[in-house]
Amino acid sequence: MSATAEHMTTETPKNGSDVQAFVSNNETYYAKQFKDIGDKRGFLFTWNWMAFLLGSIWYGMRSLWSYFLPFVALETLAVVQLARGIWGDLGAPILARLPGIEATLERRYEQLADAKESAPDRVAGFENTISSLEGAIEGIKQQAAAANAQALTLILSGLAALLIIKSVQAVLANPALQARYAKWLSDRTLGHGLSHPKTALAAILTLITYITCSLKFGFPEVVPALQGFPADPAIQSSVAQSIKSWITNASIQSEWFFDGLVFGIRSVLDTLETIFVETPWPVMCGFILLLTGLSAGWRAAIFTGAGLAYLGYLGFWDKSMQTLALLGTAACISITLGIPLGIACARSPRLFAVVRPILDFMQTMPAFVYLIPIIAFFGTGKPAAVIATMIFGGSPVVRLTVLGLRGVPESVREAAMAFGANKRYLLWKVDIPLAMPSIMAGINQTILLSLAMVVIASLIGAKGLGEDVLEALQYASEGQGILAGLAILFCAMILDRIIQGKRR
């Protein structure tokens, strides 16, 4: 049943006091609408005249901000069309090209006059050029006239779009408000009612959007600052120089710390490279196949054997082992530091509030940006590649450890404490075993993300399969790049089968 006005009066249902508290005014109308919408199975067509008249402002007044934002954008498109059609000079951007062409035409006339006196053989060429320029000027004027003739079309299309948008707003207003009312009944902290701040905010945002967009697209010459942010290049230069100076001073003053860190990473890396690369390939193949079979089953072991055969027969064995050594170093350090940090964050919300922005930074910052400060502090080579890989891939193990530990049921922990479990026993015998699937998923993601850094790490001196991919990009060697990429893929799939099989 459709309503014809927001202020119509009908019988107020029993929950009229709740409706009055929610809508602040016209509670009789809204109580009837809410009841009809709630009783109707499916969509009920209603019409709200206030939403039709106020548009997106009505949705902001009613705290329906998820509707307010898209409706403002749609209304702005229609308003811009209307503004361009009513006040805009549609031919001005086209006519802006005329001064340059006319100046060129004037020079050609002068050259033609000189050619008639001193170089008669060039007269024909200048006349042809002048004729072309005059034709171009006439074409531009015709285009400008045609653009100006489209003003009525823009006005009609903008008006039609605005009416359609407002009709949609009028139809969706009552169902949207009823849905929010249903949520408000169970959560009274949600915004409700009418207030001057919400009304002013919605109106100001809407007007600012209308005005600025109309000026930018319809009248670009009125406010040139709207065409681009008024930035000062000197500010960027000074800030960049300050960052560079800070990195230089920090790298000099902390050289002893970073040298020690590089020494520790290189020690672990050299040990793993010795194990992976120097161990005879039959022993390493047998160890990987046995580990895969025990973890993920013997079908996965057969697939692993095929992948290892690919790495060996196509000449990628040594580089694959170097890649696994680099990956293993980064993953081992990330997991060794990440799991205890995740446990601490799960136990301390304050610590996690500090650590979470750092994890967000690690995950969202482009990987190439990591290389800039890493080269400044660690130089180039494999240790620097390990650090870059740790930054890129170390976040999931912390996040999923926190998620797993926080997901342990409180009833289980309370039962363990009731039987006398202390904090250490509760952590090692209750929390970690129940959170182990999530922790193993974090380890898996850390390993696979670390493997994704193989190619980027090769830019700063890391050896392995990434080096082959980088050379293929530099020399446009499609075959080499695809083969090396498949080798990286097989390494990732083998590791995934091992880790995922253990998690299952």
Side-chain angles (χ1 to χ4, degrees), residues 75-331:
E75 288 175 358
T76 302
L77 294 176
V79 170
V80 168
Q81 293 292 85
L82 286 172
R84 291 179 63 202
I86 297 174
W87 297 292
D89 186 359
L90 302 179
I94 301 174
L95 294 175
R97 294 181 292 171
L98 279 182
I101 300 177
E102 290 174 345
T104 303
L105 179 62
E106 185 177 353
R107 289 196 300 269
R108 294 296 179 267
Y109 273 121
E110 295 175 356
Q111 293 172 348
L112 176 62
D114 295 337
K116 288 181 179 180
E117 297 178 359
S118 57
D121 56 324
R122 301 179 60 187
V123 170
F126 284 119
E127 290 178 345
N128 291 333
T129 302
I130 291 172
S131 177
S132 298
L133 291 174
E134 290 176 343
I137 292 174
E138 186 62 27
I140 289 175
K141 292 180 179 179
Q142 292 176 359
Q143 292 177 11
N148 289 325
Q150 293 179 352
L152 181 60
T153 303
L154 287 178
I155 294 173
L156 294 177
S157 62
L159 184 60
L162 191 60
L163 290 175
I164 292 173
I165 294 168
K166 286 187 170 294
S167 299
V168 173
Q169 292 169 340
V171 172
L172 294 181
N174 291 333
L177 192 60
Q178 191 271 343
R180 187 168 185 84
Y181 171 68
K183 295 180 180 178
W184 177 80
L185 290 176
S186 58
D187 183 6
R188 297 300 177 103
T189 61
L190 293 176
H192 67 284
L194 295 176
S195 65
H196 295 299
K198 287 190 299 185
T199 304
L201 177 61
I204 291 172
L205 288 177
T206 302
L207 292 177
I208 289 176
T209 305
Y210 288 174
I211 295 171
T212 55
C213 290
S214 298
L215 290 175
K216 174 178 173 58
F217 297 106
F219 315 95
E221 70 284 352
V222 175
V223 186
L226 292 177
Q227 304 304 311
F229 197 92
D232 187 358
I235 297 177
Q236 179 188 11
S237 177
S238 62
V239 174
Q241 186 62 37
S242 300
I243 294 174
K244 179 180 179 180
S245 301
W246 179 84
I247 291 178
T248 302
N249 295 333
S251 62
I252 294 174
Q253 296 175 2
S254 305
E255 184 176 4
W256 59 273
F257 171 77
F258 294 110
D259 288 344
L261 191 59
V262 168
F263 176 78
I265 293 174
R266 187 175 294 278
S267 300
V268 178
L269 183 60
D270 291 343
T271 302
L272 290 180
E273 279 194 351
T274 301
I275 295 174
F276 282 105
V277 179
E278 301 301 330
T279 301
W281 67 266
V283 177
M284 185 57 63
C285 284
F287 176 77
I288 294 175
L289 290 173
L290 178 61
L291 183 60
T292 306
L294 295 175
S295 178
W298 298 110
R299 289 185 179 179
I302 295 174
F303 164 79
T304 300
L308 294 175
Y310 175 90
L311 298 177
Y313 282 113
L314 272 76
F316 293 117
W317 181 262
D318 288 342
K319 291 188 176 181
S320 298
M321 295 301 105
Q322 291 176 356
T323 299
L324 290 177
L326 177 69
L327 168 67
T329 303

Side-chain angles (χ1 to χ4, degrees), residues 382-411:
K382 294 180 180 179
V386 170
I387 296 294
T389 304
M390 288 172 53
I391 295 175
F392 184 75
S395 179
V397 68
V398 179
R399 289 185 181 275
L400 290 175
T401 298
V402 174
L403 180 64
L405 291 175
R406 289 186 173 180
V408 175
E410 285 296 326
S411 58

Side-chain angles (χ1 to χ4, degrees), residues 465-480:
L465 296 172
E467 190 177 24
D468 285 358
V469 177
L470 184 61
E471 290 180 356
L473 290 173
Q474 292 174 339
Y475 300 107
S477 178
E478 296 87 352
Q480 176 186 349

